[in-house]
Amino acid sequence: MSIRKLQKSVINLKEKNNVTILAHYYQNIEIQEIADYLGDSLGLSQIAHQKATTRYIIFAGVVFMAETASILNQDKHILVPERQACCPLADFLTPTIIKKFKQEYPSLPVVTYVNTTAAAKAESDVCCTSSNSINIVKKIKEEFEVTKILFGPDNNLAEYVAQNSGVEIVKIPGEGHCYVHSHLTLENIKGSQAAHPQAKVLVHPECIKEVREYADFVGSTAGMYNFVKENRDIYEEYIIGTEKGLLSRLSVDFPNNRFYLPSEKLVCMDMKKNELQNIKAILKHLDAEDYDKLKQFEIKVPADIAERALRPIKKMLEYSKKS
Ligand code: SF4
């Protein structure tokens, strides 16, 4: 079956069965095209909470994102196309590691990036995203009256936050990194720039220090998208230092601009495990009211963990509102 026909049958089944599909910017473009909402991880979970009125939500991303959606939407069924689509960065930080660091530094607050499992969030004082991390760390420093915090799991984001907040950071676990962003080198960027000297360089804070310091703009996936949206009439070309899926989105939404990927390694193989066929399989089970088969796709965070994990997420949202 062609991609177009497959997309059409997914849309028909989705509408017939009243399902919302959420897709992360790093999904393949054919999945982005059939989604009701596109966004980054936290943005999508909030959409699931505030805008998606359907009982069933398909979350095309990685498992920790679906967990966050489940924490925020305990009354809804969050389904993932592929349970093996995990985030290796999130897997660096287990609840056991957090407890060990808390014992070592009992007075320091724990700030975790949203790219963590629900069980790790449950051990945290506050969560943060790549876009609000600096602000959140400054706020938690004031509230806890400390000069140092525990932060994990991404080492590069931790360094970026420490540099820009003036708060000392103890990295937990100390070796956490995203295999996609951390592989981007300064040579990759300079190589791309040699071919496209007018292009603005946009990179994600999960990139290494040399890359971040060289870039014209450092920001989250949504932040990079908005940078292009706001500057598209001023700058024509952009080097995009994040996962390839964002470049696909930008190329569709801003056809008069040009976008370049500085390295072919900017592909998250975990995000790409989701396929249209799996989304169709979920919808067919729903259509046949085969709820037993549907269970294999459902991500449900147990109520006790969800309750504890909700606190640091809510605190982050409250801090963000006040700023
Ligand atoms: S791009 Fe990196 S942080 Fe994002 S899901 Fe993939 S491995 Fe995790």
Side-chain angles (χ1 to χ4, degrees):
M1 192 186 280
S2 72
I3 296 278
R4 288 284 166 241
K5 275 192 180 161
L6 190 53
Q7 284 179 316
K8 213 170 167 200
S9 78
V10 165
I11 290 166
N12 288 342
L13 280 165
K14 172 178 84 82
E15 283 170 5
K16 184 177 168 208
N17 292 282
N18 197 23
V19 176
T20 305
I21 299 181
L22 307 178
H24 192 272
Y25 284 123
Y26 297 171
Q27 292 301 290
N28 280 322
I29 195 73
E30 63 263 25
I31 292 183
Q32 293 190 26
E33 282 169 351
I34 52 93
D36 296 290
Y37 298 100
L38 272 176
D40 55 13
S41 62
L42 189 75
L44 288 173
S45 296
Q46 286 178 286
I47 285 168
H49 186 47
Q50 292 157 358
K51 293 191 185 165
T53 50
T54 59
R55 273 186 74 214
Y56 288 92
I57 294 171
I58 297 177
F59 201 128
V62 288
V63 167
F64 83 78
M65 297 176 183
E67 283 190 341
T68 309
S70 171
I71 293 165
L72 288 165
N73 302 279
Q74 282 276 292
D75 55 331
K76 291 175 187 162
H77 295 274
I78 311 295
L79 306 162
V80 292
E82 173 55 68
R83 289 191 87 99
Q84 300 305 317
C86 295
C87 169
L89 169 60
D91 293 340
F92 271 106
L93 193 57
T94 63
T96 311
I97 293 174
I98 300 180
K99 283 180 196 159
K100 184 183 131 280
F101 274 92
K102 282 206 268 197
Q103 269 178 358
E104 201 176 328
Y105 300 93
S107 59
L108 301 193
V110 178
V111 182
T112 51
Y113 191 23
V114 284
N115 295 36
T116 46
T117 62
K121 286 184 178 78
E123 296 297 330
S124 314
D125 291 295
V126 66
C127 291
C128 70
T129 65
S130 49
S131 52
N132 65 22
S133 50
I134 297 167
N135 182 36
I136 297 288
V137 165
K138 284 182 180 170
K139 292 259 167 71
I140 202 95
K141 175 194 167 213
E142 278 168 30
E143 185 183 323
F144 281 72
E145 297 179 346
V146 288
T147 52
K148 209 191 237 191
I149 60 153
L150 302 176
F151 186 102
D154 191 78
N155 276 354
N156 292 314
L157 180 64
E159 275 174 18
Y160 173 72
V161 172
Q163 270 180 321
N164 290 285
S165 67
V167 179
E168 199 182 328
I169 282 182
V170 177
K171 296 175 192 167
I172 54 172
E175 69 271 7
H177 63 277
C178 160
Y179 71 94
V180 182
H181 292 102
S182 64
H183 278 159
L184 182 63
T185 63
L186 191 54
E187 289 68 39
N188 295 146
I189 298 280
K190 286 186 173 172
S192 188
Q193 227 180 11
H196 312 290
Q198 301 305 319
K200 286 279 150 192
V201 178
L202 279 48
V203 306
H204 196 278
E206 289 169 22
C207 293
I208 60 171
K209 191 173 174 221
E210 293 84 341
V211 168
R212 290 194 315 266
E213 288 184 346
Y214 187 79
D216 296 303
F217 175 81
V218 181
S220 64
T221 314
M224 279 190 242
Y225 183 95
N226 289 333
F227 183 92
V228 173
K229 194 175 172 186
E230 283 159 21
N231 292 286
R232 65 190 191 273
D233 296 332
I234 307 169
Y235 310 117
E236 198 182 330
E237 300 177 274
Y238 300 87
I239 292 168
I240 303 296
T242 189
E243 214 277 345
K244 195 177 183 175
L246 182 67
L247 187 139
S248 308
R249 182 76 258 143
L250 291 167
S251 305
V252 171
D253 291 355
F254 307 110
N256 296 328
N257 295 90
R258 270 168 292 161
F259 303 97
Y260 311 106
L261 200 66
S263 163
E264 285 307 316
K265 285 186 182 165
L266 285 168
V267 177
C268 178
M269 298 315 291
D270 293 275
M271 284 278 186
K272 301 310 195 235
K273 285 178 183 163
N274 295 318
E275 290 181 4
L276 270 180
Q277 284 289 5
N278 307 39
I279 295 177
K280 186 174 173 184
I282 294 176
L283 292 166
K284 281 182 89 174
H285 292 317
L286 254 178
D287 197 45
E289 299 183 6
D290 194 344
Y291 299 111
D292 278 344
K293 288 215 175 106
L294 212 53
K295 278 186 191 145
Q296 63 184 301
F297 299 98
E298 181 156 2
I299 298 292
K300 182 83 186 159
V301 175
D304 56 328
I305 295 179
E307 198 184 314
R308 287 167 50 224
L310 185 60
R311 283 198 293 264
I313 296 174
K314 274 195 170 165
K315 194 176 191 71
M316 169 182 71
L317 297 175
E318 278 160 25
Y319 274 166
S320 303
K321 258 192 250 161
K322 283 181 206 157
S323 58

